[in-house]
Amino acid sequence: MAVEIDLTGKTALVCGASRGIGAQTAIAMAEAGAQVILVARSEDGLKGTLQKMPNSEKHQCLSLDITKTSEIAGSVKSAAANCEAPVSILLCNSGGPKAGPLSEADTDQLATGFQAHVLANQALLEAVLPGMKSLEYGRIITVLSTSVKIPIPNLGVSNVIRGAVANWAKTLSMELASSGITVNNVLPGYTETERLDVLVEAAAGRMGKTEEEIVALWKSKVPAGRFADPSETAAAITFLASPLAGYINGVNLPVDGGRTGSL
Ligand SMILES: NC(=O)c1ccc[n+]([C@@H]2O[C@H](COP(=O)([O-])OP(=O)(O)OC[C@H]3O[C@@H](n4cnc5c(N)ncnc54)[C@H](OP(=O)(O)O)[C@@H]3O)[C@@H](O)[C@H]2O)c1
């Protein structure tokens, strides 16, 4: 097998594609030859990503709030009907839950997180699984957090929800492998996106430091000594989406510059 990421002929449903890691993944997958359906709420954001993709007329934007799970199946199916092939690549990715200690969270925050991540992922799965099975090829990839391995202080609700999604994915990886479908989780470390800006601002306020001090502190915790560019996370996701990664299944892959202190 040639060692080249080639997604020609494949349709990818990329969630969170209006900015950050999802946007870079939509671009990377298009560069690898995939036809991409870009999902997020912001139409302008999606159009901005589309403009950076090769063969932009080939791809389509789907403005959708994935917390409205009852709308997912219909919207995804009608977008996929205009594509050359059924969706065989699904990137489950959206915004992270609000920061704060779990002991100060209320039940609504946990329910909202579960709705936006576990239930949304399940609705996306329902929409694309028959097509993946018909192709005997599927790649389901979630974007989670290194908190799957080591809980992160002050991201209480996120820690709980990421763990639930990691278990969702692991369970599916065992159920679907015999259909040619793999399910893997990518765990970003500090990555230069709007999400990181929000977390830096919150930490600065909470710790009485400047944002520059927080950035320096966090970089000092990364063996690589820097934050990730979202295109680096996208490269890992695009590899996992490709035929090259066919025997990688049920893993949690940190893309964190070596920060996570566990095996
Ligand atoms: N950046 C980091 O340092 C870092 C580190 C660890 C983990 N992560 C996690 O990795 C994931 C991606 O990170 P990121 O930095 O790329 O995040 P981001 O910059 O906040 O982007 C999130 C994306 O999800 C979309 N989204 C949010 N809520 C949505 C909804 N209800 N329906 C549809 N789309 C929705 C957003 O688009 P719209 O607003 O247009 O809907 C946007 O495209 C997040 O879960 C984040 O928590 C990030």
Side-chain angles (χ1 to χ4, degrees):
M1 198 189 309
V3 182
E4 179 190 347
I5 298 180
D6 183 4
L7 301 181
T8 306
K10 303 202 183 316
T11 301
L13 184 73
V14 176
C15 297
S18 63
R19 61 176 187 267
I21 292 167
Q24 290 302 317
T25 302
I27 294 166
M29 288 188 180
E31 287 172 348
Q35 183 172 24
V36 183
I37 304 171
L38 301 93
V39 178
R41 292 165 301 187
S42 161
E43 279 182 36
D44 287 346
L46 291 174
K47 281 182 194 154
T49 306
L50 188 63
Q51 282 166 7
K52 297 178 191 146
M53 294 165 66
N55 304 314
S56 59
E57 70 292 341
K58 173 174 156 182
H59 314 289
Q60 55 181 306
C61 297
L62 175 57
S63 177
L64 178 67
D65 182 344
I66 60 163
T67 64
K68 297 180 178 163
T69 48
S70 61
E71 294 177 13
I72 288 178
S75 305
V76 168
K77 280 178 191 163
S78 52
N82 299 323
C83 295
E84 291 158 10
V87 172
S88 60
I89 299 165
L90 168 64
L91 182 70
C92 298
N93 171 56
S94 70
K98 204 171 138 228
L102 183 59
S103 50
E104 292 174 17
D106 58 31
T107 52
D108 282 350
Q109 280 174 269
L110 284 163
T112 301
F114 201 80
Q115 177 79 19
H117 293 269
V118 182
L119 301 188
N121 287 359
Q122 186 71 18
L124 289 162
L125 174 77
E126 283 171 21
V128 301
L129 189 55
M132 289 183 178
K133 285 189 168 169
S134 73
L135 294 168
E136 296 183 13
Y137 184 95
R139 298 284 186 267
I140 300 167
I141 302 149
T142 75
V143 181
L144 298 178
S145 162
T146 57
S147 65
V148 166
K149 288 181 173 283
I150 300 176
I152 299 173
N154 210 54
L155 286 178
V157 173
S158 180
N159 292 341
V160 174
I161 301 301
R162 306 305 191 176
V165 175
N167 228 318
W168 175 85
K170 186 69 181 176
T171 304
L172 288 174
S173 74
M174 295 185 289
E175 293 180 5
L176 300 177
S178 62
S179 301
I181 301 168
T182 65
V183 190
N184 292 294
N185 303 315
V186 166
L187 317 181
Y190 299 124
T191 310
E192 296 203 40
T193 70
E194 286 182 29
R195 166 74 172 170
L196 190 63
D197 295 340
V198 170
L199 294 177
V200 167
E201 193 184 342
R206 195 176 63 252
M207 294 165 72
K209 293 181 182 289
T210 66
E211 293 183 19
E212 291 72 23
E213 286 170 325
I214 296 295
V215 166
L217 175 67
W218 288 0
K219 282 186 179 170
S220 74
K221 295 180 181 177
V222 183
R226 63 177 180 86
F227 293 158
D229 185 273
S231 64
E232 296 178 293
T233 323
I237 295 167
T238 305
F239 168 70
L240 288 173
S242 74
L244 292 173
Y247 208 56
I248 301 174
N249 193 22
V251 306
N252 293 305
L253 175 64
V255 182
D256 68 348
R259 191 199 65 195
T260 305
S262 74
L263 296 176

